[in-house]
Amino acid sequence: MTRPPTILAVQHVQITIPTGSEDAARAFYCEILGLTEVAKPESLAGRGGFWLQIGSFQVHIGTEDEGRRANSKAHIAYEVDNLGSWRETLERKSISIIEGIAIPNYSRFEFRDPFGNRVEFLEHN
């Protein structure tokens, strides 16, 4: 009997920023959050945006002219260490923290990146 196909892992997630705001996005994602940019394949390089690498996972930052990010429940969740220190870092950068609904075994909060994308930081208790 053939076994059914299996999803093995999440390889990447894509979020969007307004066209032409790559420098501001790099300042937020690479400088404030400390993520590492990796080269996009040459075949996609001319489409704008950039890619980030976190271990074996990638965050693709794409560009679009019109978006409704500020009202969307869609989000990316990063598991972090020292959640309290992250809260302080983001608040120093004037990023508003949104308290998340409590879930078992995790402390967490949310915020919107400068482009309206919803982001969740969580730490295992």
Side-chain angles (χ1 to χ4, degrees):
M1 177 173 215
T2 307
R3 84 176 168 82
T6 304
I7 296 173
L8 300 176
V10 176
Q11 193 269 343
H12 77 271
V13 65
Q14 179 163 322
I15 60 175
T16 59
I17 59 174
T19 301
S21 60
E22 287 91 344
D23 288 344
R26 282 184 179 96
F28 180 76
Y29 280 97
C30 298
E31 294 172 26
I32 294 175
L33 298 189
L35 301 180
T36 302
E37 183 173 355
V38 295
K40 289 174 64 171
E42 193 170 316
S43 60
L44 298 175
R47 298 181 68 180
F50 57 97
W51 290 5
L52 304 167
Q53 188 79 38
I54 307 166
S56 63
F57 185 77
Q58 290 185 344
V59 177
H60 295 182
I61 310 290
T63 59
E64 63 184 357
D65 291 327
E66 181 64 32
R68 295 185 176 95
R69 290 172 292 279
N71 296 317
S72 176
K73 288 184 180 182
H75 68 285
I76 182 169
Y78 297 98
E79 187 167 351
V80 301
D81 63 355
N82 202 343
L83 188 65
S85 179
W86 275 112
R87 179 187 296 267
E88 292 171 7
T89 297
L90 294 169
E91 287 174 336
R92 275 196 310 273
K93 299 292 184 177
S94 300
I95 296 168
S96 298
I97 302 299
I98 303 160
E99 297 303 328
I101 297 170
I103 59 173
N105 304 314
Y106 285 92
S107 298
R108 67 188 192 138
F109 63 79
E110 300 171 1
F111 57 95
R112 296 282 175 168
D113 73 9
F115 315 97
N117 293 296
R118 183 175 164 205
V119 180
E120 178 180 350
F121 274 9
L122 62 143
E123 180 176 32
H124 193 268
N125 296 329

